[in-house]
Amino acid sequence: MRIGGLASGIDTETMIKDLMNAERIPLDKLHQDRTKLEWKRDAFRDVNKMLADFDQNLIFNMKLSNTFNTKIISSTQESAVRATGNAGANSGTYRINVERLATSAINVGDPSKMKINSEDTLDSSMGPIEFITYDKEGNKVEHSYEIQSGDKLSDVIKRINDDKDSPVRLTYDENSNKVILEATRTGQYNKAENGQEIEFESESFFSQLGLTQNAEEGAQNAKFTYNGAYTVETQDNHYQLNGVTFQFLNKTDGEATLNVTNDIDHTVDKIKEFVEAYNEIVDKINESQREQVYRDFPPLTDEQKSDMTEREIELWEEKAKSGMLKGEAALSSGLTSMRSSWYSTVKNDGAFSSLTELGIETTADYMDGGKLVIKDEAKLRDALADDPESVQKLFSNNVEGEGRGLINRLEDAVEGTISQINQRAGKATSVSLDGYALGKRMEDINSRIENFERRLEKVESRYWKQFSEMERAISMMNQQSDMLMSNFYPAQG
């Protein structure tokens, strides 16, 4: 703790503080320069996040077949047969006559022959529990489970049901004292005529549950006729043809008619969503290049903020941050590159080679920065109805050269812009400052700030030393003056 002015009466601490405030002006300027670099870095990263989200979501979606080839499928008997279609599904009409559904094998125990109490500990001599099921090729698959010491019926049931390799489920109904053994899949897998789907190899355990081999029933394949000529049996209640997956819910009343058409509304909505997101990016970059720079509004120091209200600080910093990215080549060149991706033609074997053929154009106003506009939606819908594959090729033909799709070209431009910004401002995950241009400048300023702060410590120590010497000199003068005064004016007796 330093106390000055005892001899001189001067407020030494205030004087030194004022002197140091003057000395700190260059340091404040360094802090302001570093703050501006941090603001610029963060502004760059905001743009990069927007570009990355656009690339990973909207651009990615525009390269998917489902964007252009989503199907709408209607059925005249929705309660009996429905369908879904993948991107390669052929449009058209399908007639389906479902004669029967696939069902699961089930074996219900006789409670009068049930010899196991659900609360009793099982005798391990009843094991192992062994049975056979069949795979899709009709080959036998053996299953075996040991009865462990202390097991109850619930433990064995859980062990069998938890086996993911077994297509069998065992259930005990306490209300009726019945055990139910059933397949967890539909259809017939045992190729033998009238063969069971679950065959007992060791009947001791099952017989004590009241189950008998011949009591199994219920397993059958689904059977349907396609377009009046092609009859199919399937182990499941669904079947795929021409990219269309038919789902059987019930027997049909004669033939059900299913119509498969392209979902044009879905594709148009996706394109509109993409256009809107792209235009937001163009607006964001354009705005950053047009913002006014207020050079008379540097970043505030902590001392300046202490004398201002929160609203005053907010308004000040709004102007201080304005134009932070103005003139940055990474953004202006990136925007030019994105804009140019729409202009050149795409040479492919499809029916369309330019965006204008789909009724989509860039706006005529140059100040818009190349925003997209769907000028003729009817033209777009006609193209999607007539030839959705050609529309997809125009957008997302993933080849190099003149046949490269518009979206792929845009993706190249966006990723190139992201890379340039990363070199300038680093990634959001960047820890070290020396990995990007702005970070190196910040690192240099940090070093200069450290050196300046060390110099200020020396300057402040020098000021205190000088004032201390002055105080010492004044103190000595005061002592000499007192001594002289006492000699000239001796004390009266």
Side-chain angles (χ1 to χ4, degrees), residues 103-202:
T103 54
S104 304
I106 186 167
N107 192 333
V108 180
D110 183 348
S112 65
K113 297 179 180 179
M114 180 78 168
K115 299 177 181 178
I116 296 177
N117 190 313
S118 62
E119 298 300 320
D120 291 345
T121 300
L122 300 179
D123 186 349
S124 59
S125 64
M126 290 189 292
I129 304 166
E130 297 175 325
F131 58 89
I132 292 172
T133 60
Y134 293 82
D135 62 19
K136 283 188 174 292
E137 287 72 40
N139 300 314
K140 289 184 176 183
V141 180
E142 296 184 347
H143 306 272
S144 180
Y145 306 90
E146 296 291 338
I147 297 177
Q148 300 172 2
S149 176
D151 274 350
K152 295 182 178 180
L153 179 59
S154 59
D155 298 314
V156 174
I157 290 175
K158 186 176 187 306
R159 193 168 302 132
I160 293 173
N161 293 349
D162 287 349
D163 184 357
K164 295 180 180 179
D165 295 326
S166 171
V168 168
R169 177 171 61 236
L170 190 63
T171 305
Y172 172 63
D173 181 6
E174 295 180 354
N175 297 312
S176 61
N177 196 34
K178 289 182 180 180
V179 171
I180 304 166
L181 180 66
E182 58 187 327
T184 56
R185 61 190 180 187
T186 58
Q188 294 175 311
Y189 291 80
N190 188 345
K191 305 295 185 182
E193 186 176 356
N194 299 322
Q196 279 83 25
E197 293 299 309
I198 307 171
E199 296 180 350
F200 305 158
E201 281 200 301
S202 56

Side-chain angles (χ1 to χ4, degrees), residues 73-84 94-101 223-226 237-239 244-259:
I73 303 179
S74 61
S75 171
T76 57
Q77 297 187 41
E78 288 279 347
S79 61
V81 57
R82 298 175 185 172
T84 56
Y94 300 83
R95 303 192 319 275
I96 300 292
N97 181 7
V98 181
E99 299 177 34
R100 66 170 182 257
L101 297 179
K223 185 178 180 181
F224 71 98
T225 302
Y226 170 76
N237 284 313
H238 54 80
Y239 200 82
V244 179
T245 300
F246 299 97
Q247 186 72 38
F248 309 131
L249 307 173
N250 211 330
K251 293 196 297 183
T252 56
D253 183 8
E255 285 187 332
T257 301
L258 294 94
N259 289 309

